[in-house]
Amino acid sequence: MRAVVFDEFGGPEVLHLGEVPEPQAGPGQVRVRVEAVGVNTFDGKVRSGAMEAAFRTRLPAVPGLEVAGIVDQVGADVAGVALGDRVAGPAGRGAAEFAVLRVWAPVPDGMEVTQAAALPVVAETSRRALRILDVKPGETLLVHGASGGVGGLATQLAVAAGVRVIGTASAANQERVAAYGATPTTYGEGVVDRVRALAPAVDAVLDSAGSGVLPDSIELRGGTDRVLTLADPAAYTLGVEFSEQSEHSAEVLAEVMGLVARGELSVPVAKVLPFAEAARAQSLVDGGHAGGKVVLVP
């Protein structure tokens, strides 16, 4: 089957179309004919080789951590889903014609498949990050990358829970962060002073961008306690907690998809590109200039 592949570690340019073996649904799994694939910062970290210190990636590899598609195989011991159902879920090799899912949730009626593909990773990751940081109503949370997929959803969930959020983003995305209910500020040089002008104390920090903000985050927090990164391997040398993917929950995914479908949460899809433009898609995400979620389609 056709898939997006990388045979060596490097920049987005190593991504190309290739042929890989077609997966089959095993016990407890379904296979989907992929309709859309979400592109994540974490995909770029793995592709670049930056995550090799944490875990090994066998080459050639297929990126793609979240997909939406039509069920075309149902494995043994699977109930509640049928051939032809449209579902979304986390995948290990999603940027391909077919992908196998162990966890999935039905795509709500009326939701665009590209929107559904933008949610499996961000739903789980955002919920997990807030659970680890244990932010409570009245506390102040600093979110780096607050206009992105994970950062934006975590911001909205935290605000809904009564947490004050300060969100960093590019100058072009300040209005989006404000629309999420957070107090926006720009990242880069001087961010420590800008954040301190907005909040004398920061109770917790979530780095969803992985763009070298951990030293500033430690300074603002006054230590490494309750500083969490989802994408910066420098955490291992700085003593900051790095949270990798954990067990996904179909219930959490279904809940978040429902909230988005009803307009109660927003995860904007900025660009939809074909598999053949996977390198461009990953470049946009790696550079933080996508302006929202980037999705690939076959």
PDB file of all heavy atoms in Angstrom, residues 66-89:
ATOM      1  N   GLU A  66      -2.619   9.955  14.451  1.00  0.00           N
ATOM      2  CA  GLU A  66      -4.069  10.039  14.627  1.00  0.00           C
ATOM      3  C   GLU A  66      -4.742  10.022  13.259  1.00  0.00           C
ATOM      4  O   GLU A  66      -4.299  10.694  12.329  1.00  0.00           O
ATOM      5  CB  GLU A  66      -4.446  11.298  15.407  1.00  0.00           C
ATOM      6  CG  GLU A  66      -3.832  12.579  14.892  1.00  0.00           C
ATOM      7  CD  GLU A  66      -4.009  13.766  15.824  1.00  0.00           C
ATOM      8  OE1 GLU A  66      -4.733  13.640  16.824  1.00  0.00           O
ATOM      9  OE2 GLU A  66      -3.428  14.822  15.537  1.00  0.00           O
ATOM     10  N   VAL A  67      -5.791   9.218  13.170  1.00  0.00           N
ATOM     11  CA  VAL A  67      -6.452   9.045  11.876  1.00  0.00           C
ATOM     12  C   VAL A  67      -7.965   9.043  12.042  1.00  0.00           C
ATOM     13  O   VAL A  67      -8.504   8.810  13.124  1.00  0.00           O
ATOM     14  CB  VAL A  67      -6.034   7.712  11.191  1.00  0.00           C
ATOM     15  CG1 VAL A  67      -4.534   7.617  11.067  1.00  0.00           C
ATOM     16  CG2 VAL A  67      -6.583   6.517  11.937  1.00  0.00           C
ATOM     17  N   ALA A  68      -8.623   9.291  10.937  1.00  0.00           N
ATOM     18  CA  ALA A  68     -10.058   9.076  10.821  1.00  0.00           C
ATOM     19  C   ALA A  68     -10.286   8.340   9.510  1.00  0.00           C
ATOM     20  O   ALA A  68      -9.593   8.593   8.515  1.00  0.00           O
ATOM     21  CB  ALA A  68     -10.820  10.396  10.838  1.00  0.00           C
ATOM     22  N   GLY A  69     -11.223   7.418   9.515  1.00  0.00           N
ATOM     23  CA  GLY A  69     -11.471   6.653   8.295  1.00  0.00           C
ATOM     24  C   GLY A  69     -12.647   5.715   8.438  1.00  0.00           C
ATOM     25  O   GLY A  69     -13.374   5.727   9.439  1.00  0.00           O
ATOM     26  N   ILE A  70     -12.825   4.888   7.407  1.00  0.00           N
ATOM     27  CA  ILE A  70     -13.946   3.960   7.320  1.00  0.00           C
ATOM     28  C   ILE A  70     -13.475   2.556   7.691  1.00  0.00           C
ATOM     29  O   ILE A  70     -12.502   2.046   7.125  1.00  0.00           O
ATOM     30  CB  ILE A  70     -14.532   3.944   5.896  1.00  0.00           C
ATOM     31  CG1 ILE A  70     -14.976   5.350   5.484  1.00  0.00           C
ATOM     32  CG2 ILE A  70     -15.696   2.957   5.811  1.00  0.00           C
ATOM     33  CD1 ILE A  70     -16.099   5.899   6.321  1.00  0.00           C
ATOM     34  N   VAL A  71     -14.163   1.930   8.638  1.00  0.00           N
ATOM     35  CA  VAL A  71     -13.805   0.582   9.069  1.00  0.00           C
ATOM     36  C   VAL A  71     -13.986  -0.386   7.898  1.00  0.00           C
ATOM     37  O   VAL A  71     -15.064  -0.458   7.298  1.00  0.00           O
ATOM     38  CB  VAL A  71     -14.672   0.138  10.262  1.00  0.00           C
ATOM     39  CG1 VAL A  71     -14.385  -1.324  10.623  1.00  0.00           C
ATOM     40  CG2 VAL A  71     -14.425   1.042  11.461  1.00  0.00           C
ATOM     41  N   ASP A  72     -12.909  -1.142   7.575  1.00  0.00           N
ATOM     42  CA  ASP A  72     -13.025  -2.125   6.494  1.00  0.00           C
ATOM     43  C   ASP A  72     -12.600  -3.531   6.940  1.00  0.00           C
ATOM     44  O   ASP A  72     -12.736  -4.480   6.180  1.00  0.00           O
ATOM     45  CB  ASP A  72     -12.234  -1.683   5.252  1.00  0.00           C
ATOM     46  CG  ASP A  72     -10.776  -2.057   5.299  1.00  0.00           C
ATOM     47  OD1 ASP A  72     -10.173  -1.990   6.393  1.00  0.00           O
ATOM     48  OD2 ASP A  72     -10.230  -2.424   4.243  1.00  0.00           O
ATOM     49  N   GLN A  73     -12.104  -3.658   8.166  1.00  0.00           N
ATOM     50  CA  GLN A  73     -11.823  -4.968   8.766  1.00  0.00           C
ATOM     51  C   GLN A  73     -12.112  -4.878  10.260  1.00  0.00           C
ATOM     52  O   GLN A  73     -11.782  -3.874  10.896  1.00  0.00           O
ATOM     53  CB  GLN A  73     -10.356  -5.374   8.592  1.00  0.00           C
ATOM     54  CG  GLN A  73      -9.999  -6.034   7.301  1.00  0.00           C
ATOM     55  CD  GLN A  73      -8.555  -6.562   7.320  1.00  0.00           C
ATOM     56  OE1 GLN A  73      -7.878  -6.526   8.349  1.00  0.00           O
ATOM     57  NE2 GLN A  73      -8.089  -7.026   6.181  1.00  0.00           N
ATOM     58  N   VAL A  74     -12.709  -5.923  10.785  1.00  0.00           N
ATOM     59  CA  VAL A  74     -12.982  -6.000  12.218  1.00  0.00           C
ATOM     60  C   VAL A  74     -12.335  -7.262  12.756  1.00  0.00           C
ATOM     61  O   VAL A  74     -12.619  -8.363  12.288  1.00  0.00           O
ATOM     62  CB  VAL A  74     -14.500  -6.007  12.507  1.00  0.00           C
ATOM     63  CG1 VAL A  74     -14.759  -6.161  14.007  1.00  0.00           C
ATOM     64  CG2 VAL A  74     -15.143  -4.733  11.982  1.00  0.00           C
ATOM     65  N   GLY A  75     -11.431  -7.112  13.725  1.00  0.00           N
ATOM     66  CA  GLY A  75     -10.724  -8.245  14.282  1.00  0.00           C
ATOM     67  C   GLY A  75     -11.583  -9.037  15.252  1.00  0.00           C
ATOM     68  O   GLY A  75     -12.707  -8.653  15.603  1.00  0.00           O
ATOM     69  N   ALA A  76     -11.040 -10.156  15.715  1.00  0.00           N
ATOM     70  CA  ALA A  76     -11.736 -11.001  16.683  1.00  0.00           C
ATOM     71  C   ALA A  76     -11.927 -10.239  17.996  1.00  0.00           C
ATOM     72  O   ALA A  76     -11.145  -9.355  18.343  1.00  0.00           O
ATOM     73  CB  ALA A  76     -10.936 -12.280  16.920  1.00  0.00           C
ATOM     74  N   ASP A  77     -12.989 -10.606  18.712  1.00  0.00           N
ATOM     75  CA  ASP A  77     -13.275 -10.037  20.035  1.00  0.00           C
ATOM     76  C   ASP A  77     -13.571  -8.542  19.983  1.00  0.00           C
ATOM     77  O   ASP A  77     -13.322  -7.825  20.961  1.00  0.00           O
ATOM     78  CB  ASP A  77     -12.113 -10.299  21.004  1.00  0.00           C
ATOM     79  CG  ASP A  77     -11.771 -11.778  21.130  1.00  0.00           C
ATOM     80  OD1 ASP A  77     -12.706 -12.585  21.166  1.00  0.00           O
ATOM     81  OD2 ASP A  77     -10.574 -12.101  21.165  1.00  0.00           O
ATOM     82  N   VAL A  78     -14.088  -8.069  18.879  1.00  0.00           N
ATOM     83  CA  VAL A  78     -14.462  -6.660  18.744  1.00  0.00           C
ATOM     84  C   VAL A  78     -15.976  -6.569  18.630  1.00  0.00           C
ATOM     85  O   VAL A  78     -16.587  -7.282  17.834  1.00  0.00           O
ATOM     86  CB  VAL A  78     -13.802  -6.008  17.512  1.00  0.00           C
ATOM     87  CG1 VAL A  78     -14.354  -4.607  17.295  1.00  0.00           C
ATOM     88  CG2 VAL A  78     -12.296  -5.955  17.680  1.00  0.00           C
ATOM     89  N   ALA A  79     -16.569  -5.692  19.430  1.00  0.00           N
ATOM     90  CA  ALA A  79     -18.015  -5.493  19.386  1.00  0.00           C
ATOM     91  C   ALA A  79     -18.307  -4.008  19.293  1.00  0.00           C
ATOM     92  O   ALA A  79     -17.470  -3.163  19.626  1.00  0.00           O
ATOM     93  CB  ALA A  79     -18.674  -6.091  20.630  1.00  0.00           C
ATOM     94  N   GLY A  80     -19.510  -3.687  18.846  1.00  0.00           N
ATOM     95  CA  GLY A  80     -19.946  -2.306  18.846  1.00  0.00           C
ATOM     96  C   GLY A  80     -19.504  -1.487  17.669  1.00  0.00           C
ATOM     97  O   GLY A  80     -19.689  -0.265  17.665  1.00  0.00           O
ATOM     98  N   VAL A  81     -18.914  -2.116  16.664  1.00  0.00           N
ATOM     99  CA  VAL A  81     -18.503  -1.406  15.462  1.00  0.00           C
ATOM    100  C   VAL A  81     -18.714  -2.330  14.275  1.00  0.00           C
ATOM    101  O   VAL A  81     -18.603  -3.557  14.404  1.00  0.00           O
ATOM    102  CB  VAL A  81     -17.024  -0.961  15.551  1.00  0.00           C
ATOM    103  CG1 VAL A  81     -16.088  -2.146  15.575  1.00  0.00           C
ATOM    104  CG2 VAL A  81     -16.666   0.007  14.434  1.00  0.00           C
ATOM    105  N   ALA A  82     -19.037  -1.749  13.125  1.00  0.00           N
ATOM    106  CA  ALA A  82     -19.346  -2.555  11.950  1.00  0.00           C
ATOM    107  C   ALA A  82     -18.607  -2.021  10.739  1.00  0.00           C
ATOM    108  O   ALA A  82     -18.163  -0.860  10.714  1.00  0.00           O
ATOM    109  CB  ALA A  82     -20.858  -2.541  11.690  1.00  0.00           C
ATOM    110  N   LEU A  83     -18.474  -2.869   9.736  1.00  0.00           N
ATOM    111  CA  LEU A  83     -17.876  -2.432   8.481  1.00  0.00           C
ATOM    112  C   LEU A  83     -18.643  -1.225   7.939  1.00  0.00           C
ATOM    113  O   LEU A  83     -19.870  -1.197   7.959  1.00  0.00           O
ATOM    114  CB  LEU A  83     -17.908  -3.570   7.453  1.00  0.00           C
ATOM    115  CG  LEU A  83     -17.127  -4.839   7.807  1.00  0.00           C
ATOM    116  CD1 LEU A  83     -17.301  -5.883   6.698  1.00  0.00           C
ATOM    117  CD2 LEU A  83     -15.650  -4.531   8.009  1.00  0.00           C
ATOM    118  N   GLY A  84     -17.911  -0.242   7.476  1.00  0.00           N
ATOM    119  CA  GLY A  84     -18.528   0.959   6.942  1.00  0.00           C
ATOM    120  C   GLY A  84     -18.699   2.080   7.941  1.00  0.00           C
ATOM    121  O   GLY A  84     -19.019   3.208   7.544  1.00  0.00           O
ATOM    122  N   ASP A  85     -18.491   1.810   9.232  1.00  0.00           N
ATOM    123  CA  ASP A  85     -18.578   2.875  10.232  1.00  0.00           C
ATOM    124  C   ASP A  85     -17.407   3.849  10.071  1.00  0.00           C
ATOM    125  O   ASP A  85     -16.282   3.435   9.787  1.00  0.00           O
ATOM    126  CB  ASP A  85     -18.543   2.304  11.650  1.00  0.00           C
ATOM    127  CG  ASP A  85     -19.841   1.621  12.051  1.00  0.00           C
ATOM    128  OD1 ASP A  85     -20.818   1.688  11.281  1.00  0.00           O
ATOM    129  OD2 ASP A  85     -19.863   0.998  13.144  1.00  0.00           O
ATOM    130  N   ARG A  86     -17.666   5.116  10.283  1.00  0.00           N
ATOM    131  CA  ARG A  86     -16.585   6.114  10.274  1.00  0.00           C
ATOM    132  C   ARG A  86     -16.139   6.328  11.717  1.00  0.00           C
ATOM    133  O   ARG A  86     -16.939   6.677  12.581  1.00  0.00           O
ATOM    134  CB  ARG A  86     -17.039   7.417   9.641  1.00  0.00           C
ATOM    135  CG  ARG A  86     -15.980   8.528   9.717  1.00  0.00           C
ATOM    136  CD  ARG A  86     -16.341   9.757   8.899  1.00  0.00           C
ATOM    137  NE  ARG A  86     -16.089   9.559   7.487  1.00  0.00           N
ATOM    138  CZ  ARG A  86     -17.017   9.605   6.538  1.00  0.00           C
ATOM    139  NH1 ARG A  86     -18.272   9.827   6.856  1.00  0.00           N
ATOM    140  NH2 ARG A  86     -16.701   9.413   5.273  1.00  0.00           N
ATOM    141  N   VAL A  87     -14.854   6.118  11.967  1.00  0.00           N
ATOM    142  CA  VAL A  87     -14.313   6.246  13.314  1.00  0.00           C
ATOM    143  C   VAL A  87     -13.022   7.057  13.267  1.00  0.00           C
ATOM    144  O   VAL A  87     -12.434   7.265  12.204  1.00  0.00           O
ATOM    145  CB  VAL A  87     -14.026   4.859  13.951  1.00  0.00           C
ATOM    146  CG1 VAL A  87     -15.302   4.032  14.043  1.00  0.00           C
ATOM    147  CG2 VAL A  87     -12.946   4.108  13.177  1.00  0.00           C
ATOM    148  N   ALA A  88     -12.593   7.495  14.433  1.00  0.00           N
ATOM    149  CA  ALA A  88     -11.307   8.166  14.579  1.00  0.00           C
ATOM    150  C   ALA A  88     -10.594   7.569  15.774  1.00  0.00           C
ATOM    151  O   ALA A  88     -11.233   7.071  16.710  1.00  0.00           O
ATOM    152  CB  ALA A  88     -11.491   9.669  14.770  1.00  0.00           C
ATOM    153  N   GLY A  89      -9.262   7.607  15.738  1.00  0.00           N
ATOM    154  CA  GLY A  89      -8.518   7.071  16.863  1.00  0.00           C
ATOM    155  C   GLY A  89      -7.028   7.232  16.677  1.00  0.00           C
ATOM    156  O   GLY A  89      -6.554   7.637  15.609  1.00  0.00           O
TER     157      GLY A  89
END
